[in-house]
Amino acid sequence: MAARVIDGKAVAAAVRARVRGEVAAYAESAGRTPLLATILVGEDPASQIYIRKKGEACEEVGMRSVHHGLDAATGEAELLALVRELGEDDDVDGILCQLPVPDQIDENAVVAAIEPSKDVDGLTPQNAGLLAHGEPGLVPCTPNGVMELLAHEGVELEGAEAVVVGRSKLVGVPVARLLLLANATVTTCHSRTRDLAAVCRRADVLVAAVGVPRLLGADAVKPGAVVIDVGVNRLEDGLAGDVDFEAAAAVASAITPVPGGVGPMTIAMLLANTLQAARARAPGA
Ligand code: NAP
């Protein structure tokens, strides 16, 4: 294997340590600690684990968290009322509704009801619009984590060819936008892209956010490329990314593993976003 393996756990730990220090400074000047409110509708086991980890991560950096667990049969109106109530609660800095929500609830309506200044997932139309305009706002956690990994690795983005596979609101679109803002030349691929491997092979920086296990092999990787694999696919024998790790690592210069690459960054950036939201609501702090 030629490629350096990018240690997402270590970079995430560094981000958490930085946030912990900044939370302490915020608490001293503001006389309070940031508060993240989480919501989960239903009892999906994977979502329950994510929510628990988010609460523990808040505690670890000195922030508070409060969780609202709602019955799987909860209606849209009840959830919207809670989201709005948290938006108006002056003690709440961040609101996170774990997605997906059950079928009887319109996900877009829930996201749109989140107070934009507390939208620590960066998914509201307001924050997506600010990112589209290149203006400061709350940026989605996983894309922010991808950029943090690239910065930590010292990857030169200015003028680089970047290819993003996937165009979701959650990952692909914001990653592509952030890479463009960093002056990379960006191509976005999706399910209708012709000759995916050939387009990917142009990339100095290849970001995969697809949800198809090991879709991208050695033929999709330019020799010396940096490969960031966002994919998390649960297989019988464990987790797999969207990139065939062994094959790509033989060609790339650096690559993220799954697990242990992008995954740990998401919660770390959620903490950073919650602190950013708290600071923005108390500008003097
Ligand atoms: P998504 O909403 O399902 O979007 C997938 C994207 O991949 C779509 O744009 C789709 O194209 C494209 N696609 C699907 N099949 C393709 C193919 N054969 N060739 C090229 N493009 C294809 O998924 P997502 O929410 O962005 O998540 C992507 C992956 O990242 C998933 O594995 C997810 O679990 C993982 N993820 C990880 C984290 C983390 O913390 N590490 C966070 C979020 C997501 P169309 O638009 O044409 O349909």
Side-chain angles (χ1 to χ4, degrees):
M1 185 175 74
R4 187 172 71 253
V5 178
I6 300 172
D7 185 350
K9 282 189 199 160
V11 182
V15 171
R16 286 177 189 224
R18 186 180 78 210
V19 172
R20 192 182 310 125
E22 291 177 13
V23 166
Y26 171 87
E28 194 155 315
S29 58
R32 66 185 292 276
T33 55
L35 174 60
L36 173 67
T38 58
I39 305 171
L40 174 61
V41 185
E43 287 170 5
D44 174 66
S47 295
Q48 283 178 325
I49 292 171
Y50 286 137
I51 286 286
R52 200 190 63 231
K53 282 189 177 173
K54 286 167 185 175
E56 288 168 359
C58 283
E59 201 173 313
E60 187 199 303
V61 298
M63 293 187 197
R64 294 170 294 148
S65 69
V66 58
H67 179 59
H68 299 264
L70 303 183
D71 189 86
T74 300
E76 186 176 305
E78 190 184 334
L79 178 58
L80 290 179
L82 173 61
V83 169
R84 293 198 184 104
E85 188 188 312
L86 294 171
E88 285 164 13
D89 185 340
D90 205 35
D91 197 30
V92 172
D93 298 291
I95 303 169
L96 182 150
C97 182
Q98 188 69 38
L99 302 176
V101 286
D103 290 346
Q104 73 273 17
I105 299 172
D106 175 4
E107 186 171 298
N108 289 338
V110 177
V111 170
I114 295 174
E115 159 58 38
S117 65
K118 302 183 181 188
D119 167 30
V120 287
D121 261 342
L123 293 177
T124 57
Q126 287 87 344
N127 280 309
L130 289 170
L131 181 60
H133 286 201
E135 288 170 30
L138 289 160
V139 174
C141 301
T142 303
N144 222 354
V146 168
M147 298 308 286
E148 186 80 25
L149 283 177
L150 291 170
H152 189 269
E153 289 296 306
V155 177
E156 176 68 53
L157 292 175
E158 180 141 343
E161 286 272 355
V163 173
V164 178
V165 189
R167 54 173 167 178
S168 71
K169 284 188 279 191
L170 186 63
V171 191
V173 166
V175 165
R177 184 67 192 131
L178 289 166
L179 288 165
L180 188 60
L181 289 169
N183 293 322
T185 301
V186 184
T187 304
T188 300
C189 299
H190 45 77
S191 64
R192 321 287 164 81
T193 297
R194 285 189 209 127
D195 200 349
L196 180 64
V199 180
C200 291
R201 243 181 353 255
R202 298 210 301 253
D204 301 309
V205 176
L206 177 62
V207 180
V210 190
V212 177
R214 305 188 185 108
L215 175 71
L216 305 177
D219 63 339
V221 181
K222 176 177 168 179
V226 175
V227 179
I228 305 290
D229 189 353
V230 182
V232 179
N233 305 291
R234 283 170 214 285
L235 305 180
E236 272 178 13
D237 57 346
L239 292 185
D242 294 336
V243 176
D244 180 340
F245 181 83
E246 298 299 333
V251 188
S253 65
I255 185 167
T256 57
V258 177
V262 175
M265 297 303 296
T266 299
I267 292 184
M269 302 319 289
L270 171 69
L271 300 172
N273 273 359
T274 305
L275 176 61
Q276 182 187 327
R279 279 179 171 153
R281 285 172 5 90

